[in-house]
């Protein structure tokens, strides 16, 4: 009889501890779900890109430069519902940004534009990296979205500056003068080095 009672008590104790473990696990899962919900809401609220061209030059590029058009379209399509959708979108944006290095219109194929595209690529790659971490730093993600917007504005303004500069008429002889300043076109300075042979200089 005593054996049955002790077995019964042991069984109740085991069931109780299992219920406690289940309750703890459930509480942890709820806590984790709430954290994920807060992260999702913060990212969802902060995921606002400037996908509309800010000036006439950028608007013309949308029609003429396919990679620029595709990039703006990609950042304009906001993901919905899940963090997974934001992760997929950031990867897609990263690919479209990399493509901006291809087929740059000749008037914009300048170091100022290339450096801004390079900075934009770096920022978007960082965004893609952060959003794919196990513990997503939502504040860094939303900060980077704002930073990317600044880079976009900077890039579009630089395009506008180049177009405005090209409209200024050059003075007579200015084109030739600029060619002379271009070090890549300079004739290499090859002065023959005299060789000494048996104490005598040879040319």
């Amino acid at each position: 009889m005593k054996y049955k009672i002790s077995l019964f008590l042991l069984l109740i104790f085991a069931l109780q501890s299992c219920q406690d473990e289940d309750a703890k696990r459930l509480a942890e899962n709820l806590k984790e779900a709430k954290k994920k919900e807060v992260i999702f809401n913060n990212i969802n609220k902060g995921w606002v890109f400037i996908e509309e061209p800010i000036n006439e030059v950028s608007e013309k590029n949308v029609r003429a430069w396919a990679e620029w058009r595709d990039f703006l379209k990609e950042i304009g399509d906001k993901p919905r519902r899940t963090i997974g959708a934001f992760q997929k979108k950031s990867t897609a944006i990263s690919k479209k940004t990399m493509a901006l290095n291809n087929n740059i219109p000749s008037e914009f194929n300048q170091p100022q534009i290339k450096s801004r595209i390079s900075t934009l690529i770096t920022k978007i790659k960082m965004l893609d990296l952060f959003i794919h971490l196990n513990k997503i730093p939502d504040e860094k993600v939303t900060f980077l979205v704002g930073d990317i917007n600044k880079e976009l504005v900077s890039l579009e303004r630089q395009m506008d500056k180049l177009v405005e500069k090209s409209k200024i008429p050059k003075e007579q002889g200015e084109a030739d003068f600029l060619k002379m300043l271009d070090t890549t076109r300079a004739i290499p300075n090859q002065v023959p080095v005299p060789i000494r042979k048996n104490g005598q200089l040879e040319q």
Side-chain angles (χ1 to χ4, degrees):
M1 187 71 179
K2 283 180 183 179
Y3 174 73
K4 283 182 180 177
I5 291 169
S6 58
L7 191 64
F8 180 71
L9 289 172
L10 187 67
L11 193 64
I12 288 172
F13 178 74
L15 284 170
Q16 188 66 40
S17 63
C18 281
Q19 284 176 343
D20 289 348
E21 282 296 316
D22 287 346
K24 273 183 192 175
R25 204 175 296 119
L26 189 64
E28 281 173 18
N29 288 346
L30 283 169
K31 197 177 174 183
E32 196 62 35
K34 278 191 175 183
K35 268 187 195 175
K36 283 180 179 175
E37 191 180 346
V38 168
I39 289 168
F40 172 79
N41 288 336
N42 288 344
I43 291 172
N44 191 38
K45 202 187 297 177
W47 194 279
V48 181
F49 287 106
I50 303 170
E51 87 275 11
E52 289 294 319
I54 66 161
N55 53 35
E56 199 180 319
V57 173
S58 182
E59 210 169 301
K60 281 181 182 173
N61 279 340
V62 168
R63 293 190 290 272
W65 185 9
E67 287 78 8
W68 180 249
R69 181 176 57 244
D70 293 345
F71 169 72
L72 290 180
K73 187 180 182 304
E74 196 66 60
I75 64 169
D77 294 337
K78 188 177 177 179
R80 301 269 183 256
R81 294 192 185 106
T82 64
I83 282 291
F86 282 98
Q87 289 171 332
K88 280 181 186 173
K89 177 54 73 177
S90 71
T91 302
I93 291 171
S94 185
K95 284 177 185 171
K96 296 289 180 190
T97 315
M98 292 294 290
L100 288 176
N101 278 322
N102 305 331
N103 305 318
I104 299 173
S106 56
E107 62 185 324
F108 301 126
N109 202 355
Q110 308 279 342
Q112 309 94 300
I113 297 294
K114 286 180 174 181
S115 70
R116 279 168 178 78
I117 289 173
S118 180
T119 305
L120 190 63
I121 289 169
T122 303
K123 296 275 168 85
I124 288 173
K125 279 187 171 181
M126 281 172 67
L127 173 74
D128 194 35
L129 173 76
F130 284 133
I131 206 162
H132 279 91
L133 293 174
N134 288 332
K135 289 184 180 179
I136 299 168
D138 50 318
E139 286 178 11
K140 283 184 179 176
V141 168
T142 52
F143 176 81
L144 274 167
V145 169
D147 233 17
I148 289 162
N149 281 330
K150 285 177 193 170
E151 293 303 329
L152 273 170
V153 169
S154 173
L155 175 59
E156 291 179 63
R157 283 192 179 143
Q158 188 60 49
M159 289 174 184
D160 196 42
K161 276 182 193 173
L162 286 173
V163 169
E164 288 305 308
K165 196 176 175 183
S166 70
K167 288 177 184 174
I168 300 167
K170 287 185 170 66
E171 289 184 29
Q172 192 176 358
E174 188 180 345
D176 293 331
F177 179 71
L178 289 172
K179 279 182 186 174
M180 285 170 55
L181 290 176
D182 187 1
T183 56
T184 58
R185 296 171 49 87
I187 299 167
N189 190 3
Q190 294 179 339
V191 178
V193 180
I195 302 165
R196 247 180 221 284
K197 195 172 183 183
N198 299 329
Q200 297 286 323
L201 281 177
E202 288 185 355
Q203 290 297 331

